[in-house]
Amino acid sequence: MDFLILHDGWLPILSILMILPLAGAFLLFVIPGENFQKYWALGVTILTAAVSLPLYYSFDPTTHNYQFGEHHSWIPALNVNYTLGIDGISLLLVLMTTLLMPLCVLCSWRYITTKVRAFMFCLLLIESTMLGVFMALDFVFFYIVWEATLIPMFFLIGVWGGERKIYASIKFFLYTLAGSVLMLVAIIALYFNTDPHTFSIPLLMGQGYSSIFQKWVFVAFFLAFAIKVPMFPFHTWLPAAHVQAPTAGSVILASVLLKMGTYGFLRFCLPITPAASVTFTPYILWLSVAGILYGGFTALAQSDMKKLIAYSSVGHMGFITLGIFVLNPNGMEGALLQMINHGITTGALFLCVGIIYERTHTRELALNAGVGMYMPVYVTFLAFFSLSSLAFPGTNSFIGEFMILAGGFAKSKLIATCAIPGAILAAAYMLRMLQKVIWGGTENPIHTGLSDLNTREIVTLAPLLLLVFWIGLAPKPFINVMHASVAHLLEQVIGMQTGIAPMANVLLP
Amino acid sequence: MLFIPELSLLIGSLILFGVSLGEGKEKWAHIVVLTLSVVTSLLCLATLGQKGTLFFEAYQIDLFSQLFKLAIAVGMMVVVIIGSQLKGVSVKVKPEYYLFMVLSTLGLMMLVSCVELLSLFVALELSSYALYLMVPMRDDQGGLKIQMEAAIKYVLFGVVATGTMLYGMSYIYGLTGTTYMSGIVPKMHDLAGNPTAMLAIALFMSGFFYKLAVFPFHFWVPDVYQGASNATTAFIASVPKLGAAAILIRITTLVAPDAGESVVMLLMVCAVCSMFYGNLSALVQTDVKRLLGFSGISHAGFVLLGLVTLDTVGFATSMYYISGYLFMNLACFLVICKVSRNGENVSVDDLSGLYSRAPLLALTLLVGMMALAGIPPFVGFMGKFMLLTGALKAGHLTLVILAALNTAIAIYYYLSVVRVAFTKAPEGRPDVPVDALTRVVSIALIVIIIVMGVVPKPILALATSAVKSIL
């Protein structure tokens, strides 16, 4: 148990983080009145966010061990435990999840008019399970929360979604579930191939399994995570789900659920099956490049704003998987930072689309053309988030993509060069959208009745804008917490000691 | 003292017989049977720790049998409550209907205690014949006499399976010269690998494959589920399967721990066929009961996964799974019984908008279906997880992968039922009234399904010590 630094405070903070939303969700059933329920959900998510903040300040960035650990026996017969802990890889993801959830409640304030109680219940439930995914250090518990995220998401899309919600929710559920079924077999196989039998994730790392066994386990894991990410060619569920989901659902899906896939690569594939990871690296890199280009070109052709952003996600996630599998510190830290960036920026873009949809009841670019004249504050936000999405210098994504590409060039010039057009495509489709929405052409639809953002919407978007520039101008506090964990991870994968100072330190003293 | 739960059922059935003689006593029948099932459940609980033998050692009371008796009694109680109005069963035959239900339960309770082949056979037939009679006790739905068709199929297939089983028993007697399990076990171990012995075991098992609805003895399932009234199907689909699983575990102990390569192979083939046949057929069903019937076939396959391991933990996991299945299945049937207004069959579309028509029922359906599908944190997931773990431990990787694939297939049809209940508009379908007792049972079932899934430790420990008591 030397990998786990047990939490010595008087309260198990990680369990509390998971239980708060869960308890809040069940208490919703005794709270009368839709308005009061909304305030309750907001209060619970804000409280959870507030409780999670101390994690950052008490986090020790010098160790790669799992911190704030908790360990309790659960099913002794099978050596299943309830083990929680976070390291530099999961810390920021946990914080991002807790900080995004109040915004998800806020953006649903007007958007959700039916079954408010049930909607807020689903939101709180999914928060609890998502936090569980990022904190779990035991495979059985991990699998349970991993699958449990599907049920609330299925309802978020299926009940409060758009016209084709049923098709989209079923597709989402079946795709992601079918992917993870074989992961369960892989988990059990790992259990029996380890002596003593264990489901503890850190104990399964670096076990030196035979190469053929590693390959099979890797493939089973890869299928589950690649569908979740989603990597090209497993991405087809994503546009459908995004377009049909309500705004809060899209934000959760883009910002957190997709990250569970890339988190899975970092947490499981690389350290547990290092040899297989190295073997499969070239294929995954090329799949990533394919995703970057495919996502970019498809986004360029979209006329629906949500679809455009959904396909841009495919491209951005391609950059992240590229960064992970170049297997060097720059790429990996860039990928980790980009996971956060994508969560912030794409989440914000989906919020923006939701805001305009509430007003014009359409997401068609042509029908939303030229709203800049009537909604100056709105388009200012939209412009900054779009710039962030295309990795404009000074915004958060620039740092992330730069580090990924720096890592990419160190690995293979050919692959990095092939990925570059992705960045240009991003500029093309984002600027095209901006141009249409802000100015449009000579035949803009009439928008005279449009009102600009209200306080609630500004409060929803402002924190994200702050983060865009914070990470863009001073990424150090975010990157610092990753060093030890990423270095340890790379050591596990290729056994190399990372003496080289990561690029970010040189670039931004 | 040892025989008290069975005795209470016996007395209860006599009272019901008395009630059935008079006219206009239908109300009494329900009160009697409800009280009886509660009392029997409590008695089972009280006698949980008892040990001993009765009737010239043909009847054994141990933790294993008492646990199953408890589950059977609780299952019957839930069926009585959820089918309280007995929609679809003519008022005139209600006392008789309950009489047969009690007799069938009595037969099953005796079955799990029998350790001698002839008494085992008698107990099995007692439970089966009562069930054969319950199936046609349904109002004619649309003049098609589907209840008669169902009953005939049930009887014919049942008789064939029984015949096969008797044939197997005769081989066992011929090989070992005794009908007592305690005498058979050591002799069977001496006969390890003997083809005749293996054939005898396989034939013997087939009678219980029929009850549990394992391929290739599953043919009765869809039509009987569809043809019998909702409450009857709820009973057939859950309670007898407990008895069947109990005896299958007992039979498998005949070949455990070493001698069973061919029996294991047989069980594996049956398990895989059941899973694929059940799940693939369920995909296209529109009648919810039929769908649950096919899903039951695939779940029977999963129960066999625990048996192929031939070890204590595997048997205990099977016990855990079948008891979990009882509750998941009853949760689904509770919804069917309530949604059906006059006892007609419920199609998937009839569940449209259930969320707004009866939120609690919709939640019960969600929990039941998701648990059957094996989604965490419900008992279905934990059971499947442990069955797969056990099977992989025994080295059956192919079997585990095929079973895992089946879970993925099965999600689709469970999910489409849930989808209809939550996302479709009611389209003018009326609200579903739910009485207080049903509410209590719904909530209790939901809680049991979740708690069993999250805290499997105590139940597994109990099941393990139960299995140890019969080995």
Side-chain angles (χ1 to χ4, degrees), chain B residues 15-97:
Chain B
I15 298 174
L16 278 169
F17 179 65
V19 172
S20 72
L21 292 177
E23 292 243 336
K25 297 271 169 45
E26 291 77 21
K27 259 192 186 159
W28 282 100
H30 184 247
I31 295 168
V32 168
V33 79
L34 190 59
T35 329
L36 179 67
S37 58
V38 174
V39 168
T40 313
S41 304
L42 291 175
L43 285 174
C44 285
L45 202 61
T47 55
L48 204 56
Q50 302 278 342
K51 262 198 178 117
T53 50
L54 290 171
F55 311 131
F56 310 100
E57 295 181 351
Y59 200 79
Q60 187 174 322
I61 279 95
D62 47 29
L63 187 58
F64 181 79
S65 69
Q66 299 311 94
L67 267 182
F68 269 108
K69 279 178 201 171
L70 178 63
I72 289 170
V74 171
M76 173 184 151
M77 181 171 77
V78 177
V79 171
V80 168
I81 294 173
I82 65 181
S84 58
Q85 294 110 356
L86 277 189
K87 298 175 225 171
V89 175
S90 158
V91 180
K92 275 192 288 184
V93 295
K94 273 183 186 175
E96 285 86 347
Y97 179 88

Side-chain angles (χ1 to χ4, degrees), chain B residues 396-418:
Chain B
H396 306 301
L397 179 64
T398 325
L399 182 65
V400 168
I401 290 178
L402 290 176
L405 286 179
N406 264 286
T407 346
I409 300 173
I411 302 285
Y412 180 77
Y413 58 87
Y414 294 120
L415 197 64
S416 37
V417 176
V418 172

